[in-house]
Amino acid sequence: MPAFFLMRCLHHEGQDAARDRHRPAHRAWVQSGGEGLATVLIGSALQDASGASIGNFGILEATGLAEAKAFAEGDPFNKAGIVAKIELTPLPATFQAGRISDPMTPRP
């Protein structure tokens, strides 16, 4: 049975240029679900009150925490040193993933 996780990746300050350089690889990672580690149901950039980028989030579907963690750690943003902190929060079994009609990673 799949599990669902809220993933928050908080970035180091001053990473705009690095994010721009690594964004195509990051998007390809998301599209592939980390080469099959997870399905990204929805995600986006995170901003502070002034509109500055501070990270990204995603709702992941994975077989377990280990796969969700491997997905987050394998992201090109993380590998490039952009990510300061990864937070993975399990969502309850009652999470209504079916309400997300257009996932960012195609479902297998």
Side-chain angles (χ1 to χ4, degrees), residues 1-91:
M1 175 170 233
F4 299 96
F5 301 89
L6 169 63
M7 176 191 72
R8 288 185 63 217
C9 298
L10 303 176
H11 296 178
H12 293 286
E13 289 185 29
Q15 296 297 309
D16 290 345
R19 268 191 296 273
D20 289 345
R21 274 194 313 277
H22 295 282
R23 188 169 287 112
H26 163 75
R27 287 183 174 161
W29 183 255
V30 169
Q31 179 70 25
S32 76
E35 300 174 355
L37 289 167
T39 297
V40 181
L41 300 180
I42 192 92
S44 186
L46 294 171
Q47 297 179 329
D48 66 15
S50 72
S53 292
I54 61 167
N56 59 282
F57 84 95
I59 302 291
L60 307 180
E61 179 180 359
T63 56
L65 181 59
E67 291 77 15
K69 183 177 179 183
F71 171 83
E73 290 176 347
D75 187 309
F77 281 172
N78 187 55
K79 288 186 167 188
I82 296 167
V83 177
K85 181 178 181 183
I86 296 171
E87 299 173 349
L88 289 164
T89 305
L91 298 174

